[in-house]
Amino acid sequence: MGMFYDLSQGAPDSSVHIAILSDTHVAAYKNEQYRGFFPSKNFEQVLEQVSEKKPEAMIISGDIARLKGELGDYSAIQKQLQSLKSDMPVLMALGNHDNRLNFYDIFNDNTITRENVFNKHILVTDYNQIRVIMLDSLMYVNKTPGFLGQEQRNWLAKYLERSDNKPVFIFVHHTLSDGDTDLLDAERLFNVVEKHKKVKAIFYGHSHIYKITERNKIKLINVPAVGYNFIDSQPVGWLEARISADKGVFTLHAIGGNIESDGQVSEVKWR
Ligand SMILES: [Zn+2]
């Protein structure tokens, strides 16, 4: 006679529930449109869905504002964020269509402490057993490439050496290839993170494409855009993530563009 375990409830779920967005591209002018999409309306719809799902946190992986990161863009975004019906921290990375100083002018009461790296918007936050690091790849406002820079890379290298072994998930705006409009020091970022097994995945936006790939077992998760797609075959929407120490489960919520994969669930094992 063995012991009985009640498996009907399933294993206790220790995963962290996070809403992951990117490229909201919200303008001050609510009816601004591009390629037939209305970014403000998309954002409104996504925030309604996020409110219903009640995640523990929401992340926006850059290109929060429409083009130049105007104060009015951020005011509009802040106002829209107030429509969130459940209380959650909102972590935002900066992209090439953001303006750091304007962003800080509007989001100045951020309760999440910034890392002290010159001129960069870097956040580190722990949720249960996982750690989120938001990097800053904004190089020039309204020019397409991105760059972390040596100081930020050195900070990350030191941080990863000195911190405990919690699984780390990095968020950065720019694509991680070697094209002229990607993250220009992506190779050097990989050099920093690959030797730290605790770094499980890098999330990014910029391309307005949803795909999951990997490099040397680090998962690379390209988050779809909220504002608009660049090609019709891509969804517009967000990812509902349940992240634990060994895997991530991602549900695509497509609200526009190609919605064929709406509700698609992808399970990804971490290294
Ligand atoms: Zn974008």
Side-chain angles (χ1 to χ4, degrees):
M1 292 279 282
M3 282 176 67
F4 284 99
Y5 293 94
D6 179 8
L7 297 175
S8 61
Q9 308 292 319
D13 185 4
S14 59
S15 66
V16 182
H17 186 199
I18 305 181
I20 303 177
L21 287 61
S22 192
D23 297 85
T24 46
H25 288 288
V26 170
Y29 173 56
K30 199 178 179 341
N31 290 321
E32 171 90 12
Q33 58 168 308
Y34 184 68
R35 277 177 48 81
F37 294 96
F38 294 84
S40 289
K41 285 175 190 166
N42 288 358
F43 192 39
E44 190 181 311
Q45 194 180 340
V46 166
L47 291 177
E48 270 172 35
Q49 291 185 344
V50 171
S51 292
E52 278 169 27
K53 302 291 183 185
K54 296 188 176 64
E56 287 154 71
M58 184 166 91
I59 290 173
I60 307 177
S61 201
D63 278 6
I64 309 159
R66 178 68 191 93
L67 288 175
K68 295 179 185 168
E70 312 270 11
L71 282 171
D73 303 341
Y74 295 120
S75 297
I77 292 152
Q78 188 185 46
K79 209 172 154 207
Q80 286 197 265
L81 286 173
Q82 284 160 5
S83 75
L84 274 173
K85 287 174 200 80
S86 70
D87 213 21
M88 68 191 81
V90 179
L91 308 182
M92 290 183 269
L94 299 176
N96 48 296
H97 292 296
D98 290 305
N99 178 304
R100 213 174 271 110
L101 295 179
N102 288 346
F103 173 80
Y104 286 137
D105 262 10
I106 302 299
F107 295 102
N108 51 10
D109 58 353
N110 208 329
T111 48
I112 300 153
T113 320
R114 258 196 299 152
E115 294 300 312
N116 189 19
V117 180
F118 174 72
N119 185 23
K120 296 286 196 256
H121 182 63
I122 303 174
L123 307 172
V124 179
T125 314
D126 288 4
Y127 296 103
N128 292 334
Q129 77 277 38
I130 72 158
R131 176 167 293 148
V132 167
I133 300 181
M134 311 280 296
L135 298 179
D136 181 345
S137 61
L138 165 57
M139 181 167 61
Y140 297 118
V141 178
N142 207 18
K143 290 181 184 176
T144 315
F147 191 58
L148 296 170
Q150 188 183 50
E151 192 166 2
Q152 185 168 197
R153 294 193 313 268
N154 287 347
W155 170 84
L156 182 65
K158 276 198 194 115
Y159 184 88
L160 291 173
E161 273 156 31
R162 291 171 186 176
S163 52
D164 61 31
N165 275 327
K166 270 192 180 192
V168 169
F169 298 89
I170 291 175
F171 287 78
V172 65
H173 175 69
H174 281 81
T175 38
L176 304 166
S177 308
D178 66 351
D180 294 349
T181 58
D182 297 322
L183 184 68
L184 298 180
D185 50 356
E187 272 314 304
R188 286 174 279 180
L189 171 63
F190 284 124
N191 287 341
V192 169
V193 302
E194 271 171 359
K195 58 179 173 281
H196 295 282
K197 233 190 138 191
K198 63 187 169 188
V199 178
K200 305 300 183 189
I202 305 178
F203 293 78
Y204 62 100
H206 196 50
S207 64
H208 298 212
I209 281 173
Y210 177 40
K211 66 175 179 189
I212 300 176
T213 56
E214 67 171 66
R215 169 171 159 150
N216 292 343
K217 295 185 178 158
I218 299 180
K219 300 296 176 187
L220 309 178
I221 299 168
N222 198 338
V223 182
V226 171
Y228 49 86
N229 60 18
F230 289 128
I231 43 172
D232 295 340
S233 57
Q234 281 297 316
V236 161
W238 61 287
L239 293 180
E240 184 182 7
R242 292 190 186 270
I243 299 175
S244 47
D246 61 332
K247 69 175 184 190
V249 179
F250 301 95
T251 305
L252 171 68
H253 294 287
I255 61 153
N258 181 356
I259 57 167
E260 268 170 36
S261 310
D262 180 41
Q264 183 192 73
V265 179
S266 306
E267 187 172 317
V268 179
K269 290 257 181 229
W270 311 132
R271 65 170 174 169

